[in-house]
Amino acid sequence: MGRLFGTDGVRGVANEELTPLLAMQLGQAGAYVLTKENEHKPTIMVGCDTRMSGDMLANALMAGACSVGANCVYVGILPTPAIAYLTRKYKVDAGVVISASHNPVEFNGIKFFDGNGYKLPDSLEDEIEAMIGSGMKDVKFPTGSSVGKIKYRTDAREEYINHSMKAVNVDFRGLKIVADCAEGAAYYTSIEALKELGGEVVAIHNNPDGTNINANCGSTHMEELQARVVYEKANVGLAFDGDADRLMAVDELGNMIDGDQIMAIIGSHMKNKGKLKKNIIVATIMSNLGFFLMGEANKIKIEQTKVGDRYVLERMKEIDASLGGEQSGHIIFLDENTTGDGLLSALHLLEVMVETGKPLSELSKVMEVMPQALVNAKVPNHKKENYMDYPEIADAIDELNKKFAGEGRVLIRPSGTEPMVRVMIEGKDKEQIDKEAKKLAELIQNIML
């Protein structure tokens, strides 16, 4: 069996790869590993996004946790960042989110937070896997009054909304905002927060039915939002993903504003106000070349990590940075939350617009986006880490590196959550990089399949 945990928890097709049995085992092993040092009876908070399979997996996981003596608090449908925040606020021992983020409805995932709201390090995930692999060897299962129980709470979402609104010191009166909730966990929290702060909100894709999450909407499908912003003559469009831990935006002209641009806008504004700790932003190797050039021009140091918001977060903690994130829209405001937070990102972006009085199209000029081609090569999951073992692929990558040296860059990496190798090329000539990226992705796919 390959490693269960990817860059963002355990993912798979619900009821096929991610079965109720596996969810129960993760509940048992996770509850045991995360709370074994406790003298008291531990409590685990559990929430999910709007997928049909969420209840099935959440209940299986909670059954597992209760079977090793942990209590559970089920808060229902809430954004991932809300679970991270509430885990900390209520001083429970751990948090779990049942979500596959931006993936289609048939997928689901299970990710854990420790008692401080942080995603688990690899070492703890390995320990959980080892416990499952051993069949929970040497674990004494409680009986009678020592088994765990489940408490249901429906009021927790208001706590998260209030916490988020406190992060900004402005109101949004006079702003017309189109918000795409991806038929996901943002459908209530984001809309309520924006309205309570005075925004005129046009909400789209905020009627989740369990089957429509991320379906041609949200941060991975921006076309409808772009058209709607122009049609509504809105000031801004906001696109969340299924579990609302990421944000993409649209300016008043209908242009897409990605995570790099959002970080550049907010980061440079924070620096001007003296609020950007050490004048550092933490980003990943996938950030656009234009983002790094923006850093140089604005005397902001850009720290780079490998791809995955967990690695961004680890580096932020190490160097005490206040802002970090990914091009895909995972943006972390570490003074306010411990994970990517779509709602906080939206509120801070709107705060810059209000405080500067500038439209988003003008604010986005703080960085020039260099043309970037990203093509996915479908490969068997168990082979995706070993693409450089194939001489033909290694030679092709070497040739491209020589070709684009000084004029751009070539970045190849396995996906952390899907059976794919991602090919990314940056350069000045969009047509050329598109052609080369497609050619290399086809080569990788043909050789490795």
Side-chain angles (χ1 to χ4, degrees):
M1 183 179 82
R3 193 170 188 272
L4 274 178
F5 286 89
T7 53
D8 206 18
V10 179
R11 292 268 179 96
V13 175
N15 224 20
E16 189 176 288
E17 297 155 317
L18 186 53
T19 61
L21 175 61
L22 178 55
M24 187 202 70
Q25 291 170 327
L26 283 163
Q28 284 181 328
Y32 182 79
V33 167
L34 289 172
T35 65
K36 65 184 177 194
E37 306 298 329
N38 293 332
E39 306 271 317
H40 62 275
K41 189 163 187 155
T43 301
I44 295 173
M45 178 174 286
V46 182
C48 62
D49 66 21
T50 57
R51 283 161 221 272
M52 189 86 75
S53 58
D55 283 342
M56 172 182 79
L57 294 170
N59 282 291
L61 180 131
M62 290 191 292
C66 290
S67 78
V68 294
N71 291 329
C72 292
V73 178
Y74 189 45
V75 292
I77 294 169
L78 271 181
T80 290
I83 303 298
Y85 166 69
L86 293 165
T87 296
R88 225 168 50 252
K89 178 180 170 60
Y90 290 134
K91 295 183 170 61
V92 295
D93 300 279
V96 181
V97 180
I98 313 289
S99 172
S101 190
H102 61 286
N103 287 328
V105 67
E106 64 270 21
F107 290 88
N108 217 325
I110 295 174
K111 55 186 163 190
F112 291 88
F113 294 111
D114 66 17
N116 295 313
Y118 290 109
K119 287 181 182 176
L120 305 187
D122 291 347
S123 57
L124 271 180
E125 291 181 344
D126 290 341
E127 212 178 318
I128 292 169
E129 283 204 26
M131 289 296 302
I132 293 172
S134 75
M136 299 295 289
K137 191 172 179 287
D138 300 328
V139 174
K140 195 172 183 304
F141 288 91
T143 58
S145 61
S146 297
V147 300
K149 61 183 181 182
I150 301 170
K151 184 179 180 183
Y152 296 86
R153 289 191 69 151
T154 54
D155 59 333
R157 61 188 189 177
E158 304 300 334
E159 302 249 15
Y160 169 65
I161 292 170
N162 292 335
H163 161 72
S164 302
M165 292 195 305
K166 282 179 194 154
V168 292
N169 296 315
V170 294
D171 67 55
F172 302 147
R173 276 176 295 189
L175 283 184
K176 189 172 187 182
I177 304 156
V178 183
D180 181 345
C181 298
E183 309 293 4
Y187 81 97
Y188 178 83
T189 49
S190 292
I191 301 305
E192 284 304 302
L194 292 166
K195 283 181 177 173
E196 284 189 42
L197 285 165
E200 181 189 343
V201 183
V202 178
I204 63 173
H205 297 294
N206 67 323
N207 294 296
D209 64 8
T211 67
N212 56 4
I213 188 170
N214 298 317
N216 298 313
C217 56
S219 62
T220 50
H221 299 87
M222 303 277 289
E223 302 79 12
E224 185 184 339
L225 178 63
Q226 289 174 281
R228 190 67 181 266
V229 167
V230 174
Y231 172 78
E232 295 281 353
K233 295 185 172 60
N235 300 94
V236 62
L238 304 170
F240 302 95
D241 67 334
D243 69 335
D245 67 349
R246 64 166 83 178
L247 173 80
M248 299 283 262
V250 173
D251 71 18
E252 76 284 1
L253 305 174
N255 300 308
M256 193 170 87
I257 308 292
D258 68 15
D260 284 341
Q261 293 168 284
I262 293 169
M263 282 194 292
I265 291 165
I266 296 171
S268 56
H269 187 68
M270 284 171 72
K271 179 181 179 280
N272 293 341
K273 290 168 70 179
K275 288 187 174 179
L276 185 66
K277 276 188 190 169
K278 300 178 183 176
N279 292 335
I280 287 176
I281 301 175
V282 180
T284 76
I285 52 172
M286 287 289 278
S287 272
N288 191 278
L289 194 53
F291 185 67
F292 300 107
L293 297 173
M294 176 283 304
E296 283 174 27
N298 289 275
K299 295 186 170 54
I300 295 172
K301 187 180 180 200
I302 311 293
E303 286 271 329
Q304 287 186 69
T305 72
K306 57 184 179 178
V307 174
D309 60 328
R310 62 185 299 171
Y311 303 114
V312 172
L313 178 61
E314 278 171 17
R315 188 66 184 140
M316 289 177 74
K317 284 163 71 180
E318 280 168 19
I319 63 174
D320 192 30
S322 51
L323 178 64
E326 297 187 285
Q327 187 184 56
S328 60
H330 284 121
I331 301 171
I332 302 167
F333 298 88
L334 196 46
D335 294 335
E336 292 152 12
N337 208 347
T338 51
T339 187
D341 192 321
L343 179 53
L344 278 178
S345 303
L347 298 183
H348 282 301
L349 182 64
L350 296 171
E351 182 182 39
V352 179
M353 291 173 64
V354 171
E355 288 184 349
T356 61
K358 292 178 180 176
L360 192 50
S361 60
E362 189 178 334
L363 291 170
S364 67
K365 289 176 184 166
V366 70
M367 75 169 265
E368 182 189 352
V369 179
M370 297 285 277
Q372 205 173 46
L374 179 62
V375 184
N376 294 322
K378 285 189 179 176
V379 300
N381 211 38
H382 65 283
K383 289 185 184 175
K384 67 184 181 185
E385 304 283 343
N386 307 320
Y387 61 92
M388 286 299 278
D389 293 350
Y390 300 83
E392 209 177 331
I393 295 172
D395 289 347
I397 291 169
D398 189 44
E399 282 298 313
L400 278 178
N401 276 321
K402 286 175 187 162
K403 184 171 188 173
F404 287 99
E407 289 288 307
R409 61 181 182 141
V410 180
L411 187 66
I412 319 295
R413 69 172 190 91
S415 166
T417 55
E418 296 170 271
M420 290 178 180
V421 171
R422 304 198 194 281
V423 175
M424 193 271 276
I425 303 179
E426 255 171 353
K428 292 175 178 170
D429 185 334
K430 180 75 171 117
E431 200 174 307
Q432 184 191 28
I433 62 173
D434 279 342
K435 187 175 130 196
E436 294 291 2
K438 194 176 173 200
K439 190 170 142 192
L440 180 57
E442 281 173 1
L443 176 72
I444 292 169
Q445 194 164 302
N446 290 339
I447 289 173
M448 293 183 71
L449 267 183

